[in-house]
């Protein structure tokens, strides 16, 4: 079974530029998550989709971050404009529907803001 | 407010011995707990989980213990192997709400 695919693996941009990340979840997984992991911290949920609807985006900085999941499969996360504090690893995860289904993570995109 | 705490940033163990990783939580509503393992430059990998209706769950060399009265869970790895060297994250959730992660513990298993 193929895992969660993310691209790119690394991205370096200057502050105030924009950047986009892509995620393709495990086939059949209806729930998709985007996390931000800052060095030395655990992952922090940014947004959760159930199919193509948003379940939780309470910790998404909506003035600069946006995410979409068209057709309920793959998803993109965008940052515009980027700030220095956005330097982090952005992880995508997916899970099956149902109670207490574990989330399976991709390898993430490491974003560096200069 | 850190609801899931892993107070030991690192742990070093000899190969073949037991590794015990600890996690404390403050939210008594949490009803599902998970452990993830993370190698450098890779995403976290699901290891083992436990529901709040249980106090122990075992999978091969990995056992998770839950003490609800103390709001504490631990992961036991027996016997420890060098390939177990990684960062271990404890995570917790309530119903379908978001996973809350601890900061992680770096486990080093020495040959």
């Amino acid at each position: 079974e193929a895992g969660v695919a993310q691209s790119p693996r690394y991205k370096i941009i200057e502050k105030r530029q924009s950047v986009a990340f892509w995620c393709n979840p495990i086939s059949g997984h209806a729930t998709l998550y985007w996390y931000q992991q800052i060095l030395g911290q655990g992952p922090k949920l940014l947004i959760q989709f159930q199919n193509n609807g948003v379940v939780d985006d309470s910790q998404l900085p909506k003035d600069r971050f946006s995410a979409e999941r068209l057709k309920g499969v793959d998803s993109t996360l965008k940052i515009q404009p980027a700030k220095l504090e956005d330097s982090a690893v952005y992880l995508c995860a997916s899970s099956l529907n149902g109670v207490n289904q574990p989330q399976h993570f991709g390898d993430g995109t490491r974003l560096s803001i200069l | 407010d850190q609801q899931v705490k892993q107070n030991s940033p690192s742990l070093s163990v000899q190969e073949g011995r037991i590794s015990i990783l600890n996690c404390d939580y403050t939210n008594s509503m949490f009803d599902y707990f998970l452990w993830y393992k993370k190698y450098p430059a890779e995403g976290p990998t699901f290891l083992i989980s436990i529901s709040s209706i249980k106090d122990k769950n075992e999978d091969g060399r990995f056992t998770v213990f839950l003490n609800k009265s103390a709001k504490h869970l631990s992961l036991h790895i027996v016997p420890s192997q060098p390939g177990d060297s990684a960062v271990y994250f404890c995570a917790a959730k309530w119903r379908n709400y978001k996973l809350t992660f601890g900061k992680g513990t770096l486990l080093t298993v020495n040959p």
Side-chain angles (χ1 to χ4, degrees):
Chain A
E1 178 184 75
V4 176
Q6 288 190 247
S7 67
R9 287 300 313 274
Y10 305 93
K11 191 73 178 178
I12 301 173
I13 62 172
E14 295 185 348
K15 59 183 179 183
R16 290 188 290 273
Q17 285 188 323
S18 62
V19 64
F21 314 123
W22 175 83
C23 171
N24 189 261
I26 293 172
S27 178
H29 282 197
T31 309
L32 184 147
Y33 314 79
W34 282 102
Y35 286 85
Q36 180 192 59
Q37 185 176 16
I38 292 173
L39 189 64
Q41 305 287 322
K44 182 185 85 171
L45 181 72
L46 292 175
I47 189 166
Q48 176 182 341
F49 292 95
Q50 179 88 9
N51 297 307
N52 58 350
V54 175
V55 174
D56 183 352
D57 64 356
S58 57
Q59 297 190 104
L60 185 74
K62 297 181 187 65
D63 57 336
R64 298 182 301 106
F65 285 64
S66 64
E68 61 182 11
R69 191 184 184 196
L70 300 176
K71 302 179 183 177
V73 180
D74 54 353
S75 174
T76 55
L77 176 70
K78 296 179 183 177
I79 308 174
Q80 182 180 13
K83 291 185 174 181
L84 291 174
E85 61 259 34
D86 299 332
S87 293
V89 175
Y90 290 85
L91 294 160
C92 180
S94 69
S95 68
L96 290 166
N97 273 344
V99 178
N100 294 345
Q101 293 292 334
Q103 298 176 24
H104 300 272
F105 286 81
D107 287 338
T109 297
R110 180 173 295 277
L111 175 66
S112 297
I113 313 292
L114 304 178
Chain B
D1 175 30
Q2 202 179 344
Q3 297 189 63
V4 177
K5 299 178 184 178
Q6 294 178 257
N7 292 318
S8 298
S10 63
L11 174 68
S12 185
V13 169
Q14 210 62 30
E15 181 179 3
R17 306 293 290 266
I18 184 171
S19 295
I20 300 176
L21 297 114
N22 294 303
C23 178
D24 297 296
Y25 60 95
T26 57
N27 188 342
S28 57
M29 300 296 290
F30 286 143
D31 59 7
Y32 186 55
F33 304 88
L34 307 90
W35 284 95
Y36 283 84
K37 178 171 73 173
K38 186 182 182 304
Y39 294 119
E42 294 184 11
T45 301
F46 170 69
L47 203 54
I48 192 169
S49 63
I50 187 167
S51 165
S52 60
I53 62 173
K54 295 186 174 182
D55 54 19
K56 177 182 174 181
N57 189 25
E58 204 169 343
D59 183 1
R61 296 186 296 114
F62 302 91
T63 303
V64 56
F65 295 92
L66 176 62
N67 183 334
K68 289 188 290 293
S69 60
K71 295 193 183 71
H72 177 84
L73 66 155
S74 61
L75 175 68
H76 293 211
I77 306 173
V78 183
S80 301
Q81 299 173 354
D84 297 329
S85 297
V87 177
Y88 288 79
F89 289 99
C90 170
K93 68 190 289 282
W94 172 53
R95 293 188 182 176
N96 287 326
Y97 290 98
K98 61 179 181 287
L99 270 183
T100 300
F101 284 83
K103 290 186 177 182
T105 297
L106 174 63
L107 173 66
T108 302
V109 180
N110 301 302

